[in-house]
Amino acid sequence: MSGPSRGDATFRAVLALPHARRLFTAAMLARACYGLLPLPLLLALQQATHSYTSAGATAAVSGLATALLGPYRAVWWSVTRAP
């Protein structure tokens, strides 16, 4: 039985590759901060400013910047780290 061709590779087939699970787990843990950051940021800013409005706006700007700059950061990383 041959391996999957490029067009029909499934997620399960990719995770079956050697070391893929370890790499996937490390990548998920490294990106967990993007999901965990908004709540502590909101609470810290609310405590500092005593305003949920300004804290929420700041947390929203932080999330928006992360979402908008992500593709540019990925391109920069691939260009500067290219072999």
Side-chain angles (χ1 to χ4, degrees):
M1 175 181 210
S2 66
S5 67
R6 185 176 181 150
D8 61 359
T10 63
F11 194 67
R12 183 175 293 179
V14 171
L15 286 179
L17 295 172
H19 307 294
R21 287 182 192 239
R22 189 176 344 167
L23 179 63
F24 179 75
T25 302
M28 291 302 293
L29 288 174
R31 287 164 178 78
C33 65
Y34 292 119
L36 298 175
L37 179 65
L39 184 60
L41 178 64
L42 176 73
L43 295 175
L45 291 171
Q46 189 281 327
Q47 188 176 16
T49 63
H50 303 291
S51 168
Y52 276 108
T53 304
S54 61
T58 306
V61 168
S62 172
L64 186 63
T66 300
L68 293 177
L69 295 177
Y72 296 106
R73 191 182 80 227
V75 168
W76 172 80
W77 182 262
S78 65
V79 168
T80 60
R81 305 292 183 218

